[in-house]
Amino acid sequence: MAGGGVVVSKNGKQFEGKLTPFVLVTCLVAAMGGLLFGYDLGITGGVTAMEPFLVKFFPSVYKQMKNEVASSNQYCKFDNELLTLFTSSLYLAALVASFFASITTRKLGRKCSMFAGGLFFLVGALLNGFAANIEMLIVGRMLLGFGVGYCNQSVPVYLSEMAPAKIRGALNIGFSMMITIGILGANLINYGTSNLEFGWRISLGVGAVPAIMLCVGSFFLGDTPNSMIERGQKEGAKKMLQKIRGIDDVDEEFQDLINASEEAKKVEHPWRNFVQPSYRPQLIFCSFIPFFQQLTGINVIMFYAPVLFKTLGFENDASLMSAVITGGVNVVATFISIFTVDKFGRRVLFLEGGIQMLICQIAVGSLIAMKLGVSGEGSFTKNEANLLLFFICAYVAAFAWSWGALGWLVPSEICALEVRSAGQATNVVVNMLFTFIIAQIFLSLLCVLKFGLFFFFAGFVLIMTIFIALLLPETNNVPIEEMNILWNSHWLWKKFVRADVPKFERKGSKFDF
């Protein structure tokens, strides 16, 4: 199995370049696309726990919550399909938008897709903030979904293509960092507006702020050299490459990008080619990484944190504050991953995070089983609630520095240019599909499986940790256009990769052909 080490280009040398202020600012602005996704992830659970919001749009849920007999079963207090549709409709729309975003990203560039994503999200946030009926609310959610779909398609690819190989992980995780900041910001806003009559309007409407930031910021971004070459702008691409690398001599890397582009032009149907055996490892990872990411159970926390804590016996303000705490842990842990991903590599973070999440899921499920049992009747003492919160925070931290950050990084960096848009679209589609499914069925699953739901997710954490240990080679420090060297050295993937990629052996810390 391919491991870590210094990975070199075909001539045995790493591409020259340095981290420039231009790259930092550019990646920071682009990563704001993650704010949109994060803000929505964080805002939804708090809003659906606000009584004025429930009274206006979901009166049956409000009555069920206030009914003493029905609410004695803590597991089923919020079980309502229409309420979950409010949350999950966004992700279904994002799934559909991903197919169109793939074409836009390839034909018009990554920058154009980011602007479109910001614009969709802006209109959707305004519709939600001023919603007068459930129809207006759902349409707004769907427009938010289009925005998320476009941003999740274009931003990770943009960051991976802009960043030098040696710090690509750190800069790409800027996207995940912005997601966590968006979640924390949403939790803080929910906490501040929870006792206001129209606090839910403020919470939903403030989503327009990051959307405006992205729309305005995208005007000042340059497109990636890869995308410019792909669209025939070679002269501009070379100037951009010199600008982002901070040196004049970029001939070697530039030629490598041109060669990749020439190969890409031979592929008339990226989607059709993406399912061919030569791209089997990329297809597997672009499909299974987002699949497993959603089945970690993280959306139990991020979507429904206030609802979940309220279900487990926390009071309203306490549940919102607990969501703020987990949001803060999420930010700090993602920040840690920025400084460790290029030092220790992707595999170490994946495996450590998986083990920690597994332990925490079992602990949370066991605590809930002991206090609420199968009947769902009972409550937590202050000390027991604090212990539960500790394990949830430890779980969130493990996810944030492993599957949360790497779930967007790895699929965006492993695909050759000719199938990169198809690969990232697959990543987004699978991610949004299972985000939709989990969002739609979680409250019902909690009602049916009860504390067993946490053991259900723990089982998937075990499976996906084994999946990474056996099948993922270390992509750290590998130039983005040179990823095929990894598949050629892997015990399984070398059976599928293209025959025209030169064979090589690993000697010491370098790859020699």
Side-chain angles (χ1 to χ4, degrees), residues 9 37 87 122 140 187 223 251 266 316 339 364 367 393 402:
S9 61
F37 191 25
T87 297
L122 172 61
N187 289 336
D223 222 330
D251 292 344
K266 298 176 184 178
N316 187 51
F339 289 95
V364 170
L367 284 171
C393 286
S402 61

PDB file of all heavy atoms in Angstrom, residues 9 37 87 122 140 187 223 251 266 316 339 364 367 393 402:
ATOM      1  N   SER A   9       7.406  15.095  -9.107  1.00  0.00           N
ATOM      2  CA  SER A   9       6.833  15.073 -10.437  1.00  0.00           C
ATOM      3  C   SER A   9       7.584  14.099 -11.324  1.00  0.00           C
ATOM      4  O   SER A   9       8.513  13.431 -10.902  1.00  0.00           O
ATOM      5  CB  SER A   9       6.883  16.485 -11.027  1.00  0.00           C
ATOM      6  OG  SER A   9       8.222  16.919 -11.110  1.00  0.00           O
ATOM      7  N   PHE A  37     -22.866  27.003   3.361  1.00  0.00           N
ATOM      8  CA  PHE A  37     -23.238  25.647   3.760  1.00  0.00           C
ATOM      9  C   PHE A  37     -23.290  25.533   5.282  1.00  0.00           C
ATOM     10  O   PHE A  37     -24.239  24.992   5.853  1.00  0.00           O
ATOM     11  CB  PHE A  37     -22.224  24.670   3.166  1.00  0.00           C
ATOM     12  CG  PHE A  37     -22.615  23.221   3.282  1.00  0.00           C
ATOM     13  CD1 PHE A  37     -23.946  22.834   3.390  1.00  0.00           C
ATOM     14  CD2 PHE A  37     -21.648  22.227   3.266  1.00  0.00           C
ATOM     15  CE1 PHE A  37     -24.310  21.503   3.489  1.00  0.00           C
ATOM     16  CE2 PHE A  37     -21.993  20.887   3.369  1.00  0.00           C
ATOM     17  CZ  PHE A  37     -23.320  20.530   3.472  1.00  0.00           C
ATOM     18  N   THR A  87     -36.066  20.932   6.485  1.00  0.00           N
ATOM     19  CA  THR A  87     -34.606  20.801   6.562  1.00  0.00           C
ATOM     20  C   THR A  87     -34.034  20.137   5.321  1.00  0.00           C
ATOM     21  O   THR A  87     -33.089  20.624   4.702  1.00  0.00           O
ATOM     22  CB  THR A  87     -34.210  19.975   7.800  1.00  0.00           C
ATOM     23  OG1 THR A  87     -34.627  20.663   8.979  1.00  0.00           O
ATOM     24  CG2 THR A  87     -32.710  19.755   7.854  1.00  0.00           C
ATOM     25  N   LEU A 122     -28.388  34.011  -1.786  1.00  0.00           N
ATOM     26  CA  LEU A 122     -28.873  35.334  -1.396  1.00  0.00           C
ATOM     27  C   LEU A 122     -30.388  35.426  -1.552  1.00  0.00           C
ATOM     28  O   LEU A 122     -31.107  35.835  -0.627  1.00  0.00           O
ATOM     29  CB  LEU A 122     -28.190  36.408  -2.230  1.00  0.00           C
ATOM     30  CG  LEU A 122     -28.704  37.836  -2.082  1.00  0.00           C
ATOM     31  CD1 LEU A 122     -28.552  38.336  -0.651  1.00  0.00           C
ATOM     32  CD2 LEU A 122     -27.987  38.770  -3.059  1.00  0.00           C
ATOM     33  N   GLY A 140     -37.773  29.000  -0.879  1.00  0.00           N
ATOM     34  CA  GLY A 140     -36.541  29.626  -0.408  1.00  0.00           C
ATOM     35  C   GLY A 140     -35.492  28.590  -0.056  1.00  0.00           C
ATOM     36  O   GLY A 140     -34.310  28.738  -0.390  1.00  0.00           O
ATOM     37  N   ASN A 187     -25.326  29.185  15.325  1.00  0.00           N
ATOM     38  CA  ASN A 187     -25.724  28.810  16.686  1.00  0.00           C
ATOM     39  C   ASN A 187     -25.779  30.019  17.617  1.00  0.00           C
ATOM     40  O   ASN A 187     -26.681  30.142  18.459  1.00  0.00           O
ATOM     41  CB  ASN A 187     -24.752  27.769  17.249  1.00  0.00           C
ATOM     42  CG  ASN A 187     -24.899  26.408  16.600  1.00  0.00           C
ATOM     43  OD1 ASN A 187     -25.957  26.069  16.074  1.00  0.00           O
ATOM     44  ND2 ASN A 187     -23.835  25.619  16.610  1.00  0.00           N
ATOM     45  N   ASP A 223      -9.426  33.216 -11.960  1.00  0.00           N
ATOM     46  CA  ASP A 223      -9.735  31.797 -12.101  1.00  0.00           C
ATOM     47  C   ASP A 223      -8.447  30.988 -12.027  1.00  0.00           C
ATOM     48  O   ASP A 223      -7.341  31.534 -12.124  1.00  0.00           O
ATOM     49  CB  ASP A 223     -10.468  31.524 -13.416  1.00  0.00           C
ATOM     50  CG  ASP A 223     -11.607  30.529 -13.218  1.00  0.00           C
ATOM     51  OD1 ASP A 223     -11.489  29.665 -12.326  1.00  0.00           O
ATOM     52  OD2 ASP A 223     -12.616  30.628 -13.931  1.00  0.00           O
ATOM     53  N   ASP A 251       7.733  27.157 -16.003  1.00  0.00           N
ATOM     54  CA  ASP A 251       7.586  26.438 -17.265  1.00  0.00           C
ATOM     55  C   ASP A 251       7.283  24.959 -17.062  1.00  0.00           C
ATOM     56  O   ASP A 251       6.446  24.381 -17.763  1.00  0.00           O
ATOM     57  CB  ASP A 251       8.861  26.581 -18.102  1.00  0.00           C
ATOM     58  CG  ASP A 251       9.061  28.010 -18.599  1.00  0.00           C
ATOM     59  OD1 ASP A 251       8.073  28.779 -18.546  1.00  0.00           O
ATOM     60  OD2 ASP A 251      10.182  28.353 -19.011  1.00  0.00           O
ATOM     61  N   LYS A 266      -9.193  15.001 -24.979  1.00  0.00           N
ATOM     62  CA  LYS A 266      -9.467  13.761 -25.696  1.00  0.00           C
ATOM     63  C   LYS A 266     -10.696  13.055 -25.135  1.00  0.00           C
ATOM     64  O   LYS A 266     -11.228  12.137 -25.747  1.00  0.00           O
ATOM     65  CB  LYS A 266      -8.255  12.827 -25.603  1.00  0.00           C
ATOM     66  CG  LYS A 266      -6.995  13.394 -26.247  1.00  0.00           C
ATOM     67  CD  LYS A 266      -5.821  12.449 -26.036  1.00  0.00           C
ATOM     68  CE  LYS A 266      -4.524  13.046 -26.598  1.00  0.00           C
ATOM     69  NZ  LYS A 266      -3.364  12.148 -26.353  1.00  0.00           N
ATOM     70  N   ASN A 316     -34.726  24.921  26.988  1.00  0.00           N
ATOM     71  CA  ASN A 316     -34.556  25.573  25.689  1.00  0.00           C
ATOM     72  C   ASN A 316     -33.236  26.329  25.597  1.00  0.00           C
ATOM     73  O   ASN A 316     -32.447  26.125  24.665  1.00  0.00           O
ATOM     74  CB  ASN A 316     -35.724  26.529  25.429  1.00  0.00           C
ATOM     75  CG  ASN A 316     -35.683  27.114  24.025  1.00  0.00           C
ATOM     76  OD1 ASN A 316     -35.569  26.374  23.059  1.00  0.00           O
ATOM     77  ND2 ASN A 316     -35.750  28.427  23.928  1.00  0.00           N
ATOM     78  N   PHE A 339      -3.357  22.718  10.577  1.00  0.00           N
ATOM     79  CA  PHE A 339      -1.942  22.679  10.922  1.00  0.00           C
ATOM     80  C   PHE A 339      -1.364  21.267  10.951  1.00  0.00           C
ATOM     81  O   PHE A 339      -0.149  21.101  11.067  1.00  0.00           O
ATOM     82  CB  PHE A 339      -1.715  23.350  12.283  1.00  0.00           C
ATOM     83  CG  PHE A 339      -1.902  24.833  12.249  1.00  0.00           C
ATOM     84  CD1 PHE A 339      -3.118  25.398  12.602  1.00  0.00           C
ATOM     85  CD2 PHE A 339      -0.883  25.672  11.834  1.00  0.00           C
ATOM     86  CE1 PHE A 339      -3.300  26.775  12.566  1.00  0.00           C
ATOM     87  CE2 PHE A 339      -1.056  27.044  11.788  1.00  0.00           C
ATOM     88  CZ  PHE A 339      -2.263  27.597  12.157  1.00  0.00           C
ATOM     89  N   VAL A 364     -22.133   7.738  24.063  1.00  0.00           N
ATOM     90  CA  VAL A 364     -23.378   8.520  24.029  1.00  0.00           C
ATOM     91  C   VAL A 364     -24.584   7.592  24.016  1.00  0.00           C
ATOM     92  O   VAL A 364     -25.556   7.787  24.759  1.00  0.00           O
ATOM     93  CB  VAL A 364     -23.395   9.461  22.806  1.00  0.00           C
ATOM     94  CG1 VAL A 364     -24.781  10.084  22.625  1.00  0.00           C
ATOM     95  CG2 VAL A 364     -22.350  10.564  22.970  1.00  0.00           C
ATOM     96  N   LEU A 367     -25.060   6.048  27.498  1.00  0.00           N
ATOM     97  CA  LEU A 367     -25.593   6.993  28.480  1.00  0.00           C
ATOM     98  C   LEU A 367     -27.089   7.216  28.281  1.00  0.00           C
ATOM     99  O   LEU A 367     -27.864   7.236  29.248  1.00  0.00           O
ATOM    100  CB  LEU A 367     -24.844   8.322  28.383  1.00  0.00           C
ATOM    101  CG  LEU A 367     -23.436   8.369  28.984  1.00  0.00           C
ATOM    102  CD1 LEU A 367     -22.738   9.672  28.606  1.00  0.00           C
ATOM    103  CD2 LEU A 367     -23.505   8.227  30.504  1.00  0.00           C
ATOM    104  N   CYS A 393     -19.040  16.494  22.354  1.00  0.00           N
ATOM    105  CA  CYS A 393     -17.999  17.437  21.916  1.00  0.00           C
ATOM    106  C   CYS A 393     -16.756  16.684  21.425  1.00  0.00           C
ATOM    107  O   CYS A 393     -16.144  17.079  20.422  1.00  0.00           O
ATOM    108  CB  CYS A 393     -17.627  18.383  23.058  1.00  0.00           C
ATOM    109  SG  CYS A 393     -18.870  19.644  23.407  1.00  0.00           S
ATOM    110  N   SER A 402     -11.104  15.111  10.997  1.00  0.00           N
ATOM    111  CA  SER A 402     -10.920  13.952  10.119  1.00  0.00           C
ATOM    112  C   SER A 402     -11.915  13.994   8.957  1.00  0.00           C
ATOM    113  O   SER A 402     -11.668  14.648   7.950  1.00  0.00           O
ATOM    114  CB  SER A 402     -11.043  12.651  10.921  1.00  0.00           C
ATOM    115  OG  SER A 402     -12.325  12.516  11.514  1.00  0.00           O
TER     116      SER A 402
END
